[in-house]
Amino acid sequence: MSTWPEQVPTSGSIELPPDPRALDGLGRNHSLATALADIVDNSIDANASHVLIRFIRRTGRLHGLYVVDNGHGMGTSAIDTAMTVGGRRVYGANDLGRFGIGMKAASFSQARSLTVISKTSAAMAVGRRWELDGDRRGFHCDIVPTDFCADEFDRGWGIPDAGTGTVIRWDNITGFPLTDDPIRVEKFISQTVSETRNHLGLVFHRILEAGRVHVSMDVEDVDINVPGPRFDVEALNPFGYLRSSNSAYPKELVAVSSTGVKISFVCHLWPGRSKLPQFTLSGDPAERQGLYFYRNDRLLQAGGGWDGVHTPDKTLQLARVAIDINDDIVGLFRMNPEKSRVLVGPEFGALVEQARAEDASDFTQYFTDAEQAYRESRQRNRKRTPMFPPGKGFTPMLRGAIEGEVPILEREEPLNIKWRRFDDDSMFEVDKQARTLWLNQAYRPNSVGERRSVNDAPLLKALLYLLMENLFHGERTGPGDKDNIQLWQEILTAAARSGQ
Ligand SMILES: Nc1ncnc2c1ncn2[C@@H]1O[C@H](COP(=O)(O)OP(=O)(O)O)[C@@H](O)[C@H]1O
Ligand SMILES: [Mg+2]
């Protein structure tokens, strides 16, 4: 047997640049929403106060998409690095960027053509374009003429003008419907806008809540040259409950890694059966239990499991844990290039086992508490008589709280509480037919002060709902109910009038 050569010899080298089609394979795991999140990451890193996502529709068909920001922009050398796959810059400690790939991977996962136009305070707008299907020699990037850049940059975007910023333009978008059928296009837009708002609201919830950036979306019909209504992305905090189902929570469990880095697990227990959108997260909340990883306040993973710490279980659906990975503990974790998942290292399991709260409790205790909270919320629910869903007149917050606490007759018409002018001075009227509790408009100023709106007086309406909801069941009003109505009418009218 011959000896094993430890070194491989070479006899020269040839240059083999990657085939341009390599761009095509980037970002295959992106959806439109995760791809847009990666583009918005860059706007946030550029300190933009506003980001606009705009769909372009021409003769009924969707043609392109813009992401526009008023951040610090890029000059010539920065834009060239930006268009380079793997082109990195010097990153600040709080930056969301990392691999120098995000923008390219996100764009080519959705579109065949990426144009970037950018302006700093020091220079005119500059532009570059990559086109996948173009007739290109190797990795030659197209230069966009400056007058076109200036026009695109100044295209009335309706965001505060900082004199600087970046316009990302996608053409030939692969996921857009090829039809101009208005019904199908409308349906696609409304579904896409709602998915994107939810996703961006979730991953950027901390940054949005802190007011660091505003993100909105609209559709421009270029035939008539007017943008449609604008939808703001609102923060969707997956820990945004009112009160935990267990007063000992949230609880911080802390562990120290072998390299001496502290890692903190903030364990939360949601109240049972919440209907709040930040709990359901457009799906089955049982699938959103588990670990929520943040890096520089940007959510990378929104639950979906326990990464080997525990198997997901229906009875653990109230349990969500927030973990901040800042760059000193980043070695224990890796994020996937789409920034939608965190892969934990081998030490992770041991850290979880070791983690303790101030009261010395651990993850085992947390799982026990989570299970108990879940069981209790189910019992409480079973014993209650089901109620009509709250309808018009309730704030979304109040509606969510009620629906989370009481079993709801989902198929029934909701119960509304509305104001109107009365002929007499009584406080309320029970209108079974319209399933509406009418309140006397004359008492509205006392009840709500200055802030009139359809959903005003939430405290009053909550009390009335709890007191009177059962009156609306059944065809007829029995003598007991009549007696109650009379009593409440007397007392509530007196109360309302004495406030006048
Ligand atoms: N909206 C923007 N404003 C300013 N600079 C940007 C913007 N988008 C991209 N860039 C520049 O392009 C670079 C490459 O972006 P990207 O491919 O997402 O990689 P990464 O964000 O990991 O650096 C960024 O580092 C940044 O310098
Ligand atoms: Mg990036």
Side-chain angles (χ1 to χ4, degrees):
M1 214 189 282
S2 60
T3 53
W4 176 70
E6 199 181 317
Q7 301 287 337
V8 176
T10 57
S11 59
S13 69
I14 51 167
E15 166 124 4
L16 290 176
D19 187 288
R21 274 173 303 188
L23 292 177
D24 215 352
L26 291 174
R28 281 289 162 89
N29 292 324
H30 269 305
S31 65
L32 180 61
T34 63
L36 286 170
D38 228 316
I39 302 294
V40 174
D41 275 351
N42 292 340
S43 302
I44 293 171
D45 278 352
N47 269 325
S49 71
H50 287 73
V51 182
L52 170 71
I53 298 170
R54 173 170 292 177
F55 293 83
I56 297 292
R57 184 164 48 189
R58 198 182 65 198
T59 54
R61 225 187 97 183
L62 283 176
H63 272 271
L65 184 145
Y66 285 95
V67 181
V68 184
D69 72 48
N70 61 358
H72 57 54
M74 287 172 274
T76 318
S77 82
I79 203 173
D80 286 340
T81 313
M83 293 303 270
T84 307
V85 177
R88 298 194 183 188
R89 59 184 163 89
V90 181
Y91 297 103
N94 295 318
D95 278 345
L96 304 176
R98 185 169 172 82
F99 300 120
I101 291 179
M103 177 179 76
K104 283 73 72 178
S107 303
F108 295 128
S109 73
Q110 307 298 313
R112 308 296 295 169
S113 166
L114 159 67
T115 307
V116 178
I117 290 163
S118 199
K119 187 178 175 325
T120 63
S121 53
M124 311 249 290
V126 289
R128 298 286 182 267
R129 184 185 67 175
W130 277 127
E131 210 164 36
L132 288 187
D133 306 318
D135 179 20
R136 230 171 343 95
R137 294 148 291 127
F139 269 83
H140 284 86
C141 183
D142 301 320
I143 296 171
V144 183
T146 44
D147 49 344
F148 181 85
C149 293
D151 286 351
E152 283 283 270
F153 191 81
D154 292 328
R155 248 187 133 252
W157 299 106
I159 59 173
D161 182 7
T164 61
T166 300
V167 173
I168 306 282
R169 171 174 169 163
W170 291 349
D171 292 279
N172 293 325
I173 299 181
T174 39
F176 281 175
L178 287 172
T179 170
D180 58 3
D181 171 10
I183 293 175
R184 283 177 58 199
V185 172
E186 262 324 307
K187 200 170 158 207
F188 177 85
I189 292 176
S190 72
Q191 200 172 342
T192 307
V193 167
S194 125
E195 275 170 27
T196 307
R197 281 169 87 195
N198 276 332
H199 184 74
L200 299 181
L202 180 62
V203 300
F204 296 119
H205 79 88
R206 286 185 179 176
I207 294 168
L208 291 164
E209 280 159 4
R212 278 170 58 195
V213 72
H214 294 86
V215 184
S216 50
M217 304 182 75
D218 68 13
V219 181
E220 180 181 341
D221 263 302
V222 285
D223 308 308
I224 48 170
N225 217 330
V226 260
R230 200 164 272 209
F231 302 97
D232 286 330
V233 173
E234 274 154 35
L236 204 56
N237 177 359
F239 301 95
Y241 49 81
L242 296 175
R243 289 177 54 234
S244 173
S245 47
N246 178 331
S247 62
Y249 288 86
K251 207 186 250 190
E252 185 185 14
L253 274 58
V254 177
V256 179
S257 81
S258 57
T259 53
V261 180
K262 185 183 131 180
I263 159 160
S264 142
F265 303 88
V266 184
C267 301
H268 293 257
L269 286 181
W270 267 82
R273 291 209 166 178
S274 176
K275 288 279 164 53
L276 290 176
Q278 58 266 44
F279 182 59
T280 55
L281 295 176
S282 61
D284 177 0
E287 286 171 13
R288 307 316 283 265
Q289 63 183 281
L291 308 178
Y292 286 66
F293 288 98
Y294 293 85
R295 173 172 173 265
N296 295 339
D297 286 336
R298 193 253 209 224
L299 184 61
L300 294 176
Q301 172 174 320
W306 297 96
D307 290 284
V309 176
H310 201 292
T311 40
D313 191 302
K314 198 174 78 209
T315 60
L316 293 180
Q317 61 178 276
L318 305 181
R320 292 180 181 179
V321 179
I323 304 169
D324 276 275
I325 0 186
N326 34 51
D327 277 331
D328 33 321
I329 55 171
V330 110
L332 292 171
F333 309 92
R334 274 187 308 140
M335 57 180 177
N336 66 352
E338 286 83 13
K339 299 185 194 155
S340 55
R341 200 87 219 157
V342 168
L343 311 166
V344 301
E347 203 190 336
F348 186 72
L351 282 174
V352 167
E353 213 149 284
Q354 191 207 102
R356 292 288 180 281
E358 248 172 18
D359 63 5
S361 69
D362 59 6
F363 262 95
T364 312
Q365 180 68 49
Y366 174 52
F367 289 130
T368 312
D369 291 344
E371 233 179 275
Q372 190 187 349
Y374 173 74
R375 289 192 207 292
E376 275 171 8
S377 75
R378 306 248 316 164
Q379 271 162 13
R380 188 163 39 115
N381 258 295
R382 262 202 298 273
K383 275 184 284 192
R384 294 215 77 91
T385 319
M387 293 164 82
F388 291 134
K392 296 208 177 73
F394 294 78
T395 60
M397 172 84 108
L398 176 55
R399 204 174 305 150
I402 291 172
E403 290 175 351
E405 290 303 319
V406 295
I408 292 291
L409 296 161
E410 309 270 1
R411 284 160 203 272
E412 286 283 347
E413 285 292 312
L415 168 58
N416 310 307
I417 304 187
K418 302 208 273 196
W419 301 97
R420 73 167 171 77
R421 228 175 275 284
F422 279 30
D423 292 335
D424 60 13
D425 68 351
S426 56
M427 171 65 193
F428 66 87
E429 187 197 317
V430 174
D431 181 350
K432 280 191 164 210
Q433 205 134 51
R435 198 163 287 164
T436 297
L437 179 67
W438 294 103
L439 303 181
N440 190 341
Q441 176 83 19
Y443 301 124
R444 194 169 187 178
N446 305 325
S447 314
V448 304
E450 293 296 303
R451 296 176 48 215
R452 283 184 185 209
S453 77
V454 184
N455 294 342
D456 57 13
L459 192 57
L460 175 67
K461 287 174 182 167
L463 289 169
L464 293 176
Y465 174 84
L466 293 175
L467 185 67
M468 299 190 183
E469 186 274 344
N470 65 338
L471 296 177
F472 288 82
H473 293 260
E475 292 281 301
R476 302 173 39 144
T477 307
D481 281 347
K482 281 194 180 141
D483 197 47
N484 271 335
I485 291 177
Q486 212 167 21
L487 171 71
W488 296 334
Q489 193 69 270
E490 288 295 317
I491 292 175
L492 292 174
T493 307
R497 287 175 63 176
S498 58
Q500 272 182 326

